[in-house]
């Protein structure tokens, strides 16, 4: 039985501070572990977490699978960009390692397949391929990925940007692949979650819309009268 069986039909919550906000008060392993424990109590079937410190803290706080990654400020490839990062994430306690599987060059000069082999040889973790296109998903499975996620759709030159989730990509991957397809990227409402499952998603990941007070508050403040007045003053 695969860890991915525990995710089937459920909601995965990503517990991460905003990557471009180094002063986000949520940037603390203890805080993220408490957030993770809260979402699991609410029904999350797994948690997605960034960085070895957060992964270790969250793994100790919850009894559901942890999808781990390492966001690194490398141009292009950003999510677990090297084989060494992938192994570190697994050794920190992640049951599943999320790895950028786009066709962009990796900073260590290795391929996605090389990274999968490194994880297999040194750990018991499974590998989740974060992709932006259907072709990347097919290639990732060929190279050993245990599952594929739509995380990077809209964030690469090969995929058009959009405000909402890429449900078309979910449907295409679900029709093409023999492995679980995880719907991730800009999911913000129950209706979008329903549509992802209708498109064939194995599970759905939601992040900022649940776990980032900074992101949520900014979106709400943008709709206030004060924000409208400030915008008008700047235009004057």
């Amino acid at each position: 039985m695969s860890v991915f069986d525990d995710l089937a039909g459920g909601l995965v919550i990503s517990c991460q501070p905003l990557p471009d906000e180094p002063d986000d008060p949520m940037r603390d392993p203890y805080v993220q572990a408490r957030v993770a424990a809260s979402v699991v109590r609410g029904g999350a079937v797994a948690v997605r977490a960034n960085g070895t410190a957060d992964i270790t803290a969250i793994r100790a706080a919850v009894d559901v699978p942890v999808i781990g990654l390492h966001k690194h400020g490398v141009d292009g490839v950003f999510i677990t960009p090297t084989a060494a990062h992938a192994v570190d994430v697994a050794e920190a306690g992640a049951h599943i390692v999320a790895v950028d599987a786009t066709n962009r060059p990796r900073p260590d000069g290795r391929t996605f397949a090389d990274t999968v082999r490194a994880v297999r040889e040194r750990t018991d973790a499974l590998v989740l391929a974060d992709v932006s296109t259907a072709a990347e998903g097919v290639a990732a499975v060929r190279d050993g990925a245990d599952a594929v996620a739509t995380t990077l759709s809209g964030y690469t030159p090969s995929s058009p940007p959009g405000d909402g989730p890429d449900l078309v990509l979910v449907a295409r991957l679900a029709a093409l692949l023999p492995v679980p397809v995880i719907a991730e990227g800009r999911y913000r409402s129950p209706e979008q979650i329903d549509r992802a499952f209708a498109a064939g998603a194995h599970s759905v990941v939601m992040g900022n819309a649940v776990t980032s007070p900074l992101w949520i508050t900014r979106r709400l403040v943008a709709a206030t009268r004060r924000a409208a007045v400030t915008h008008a003053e700047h235009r004057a």
Side-chain angles (χ1 to χ4, degrees), residues 88 99 110 128:
D88 286 347
V99 179
R110 304 176 75 176
L128 173 63

Side-chain angles (χ1 to χ4, degrees), residues 107-170:
D108 59 358
R110 304 176 75 176
T111 65
F112 174 76
D114 292 334
T115 300
V116 173
R117 280 193 293 272
V119 172
R120 296 268 192 272
E121 290 170 359
R122 297 180 56 181
T123 78
D124 295 325
L126 300 177
V127 176
L128 173 63
D130 283 346
V131 304
S132 67
T133 68
E136 291 168 354
V138 171
V141 173
R142 179 200 64 207
D143 290 339
D146 298 292
V148 171
T150 59
T151 314
L152 293 171
S153 174
Y155 301 103
T156 71
S158 302
S159 59
D163 183 59
D166 191 343
L167 294 160
V168 172
L169 181 57
V170 172

Side-chain angles (χ1 to χ4, degrees), residues 4 7-12 45 180-184 196-197 200-205:
F4 285 104
L7 277 60
L11 181 65
V12 179
V45 298
V181 173
I182 312 300
E184 180 172 5
F197 282 120
H202 181 80
S203 55
V204 179
V205 179

Side-chain angles (χ1 to χ4, degrees), residues 51-98:
T52 56
D54 283 13
I55 291 165
T56 300
I58 289 171
R59 176 70 190 268
V62 303
D63 57 1
V64 300
V66 174
I67 302 172
L69 60 140
H70 182 105
K71 288 183 176 176
H72 190 68
V74 176
D75 185 30
V77 178
F78 184 57
I79 296 176
T80 320
T82 71
H85 286 130
V87 171
D88 286 347
V89 165
E91 291 180 341
H95 301 85
I96 301 165
V97 181

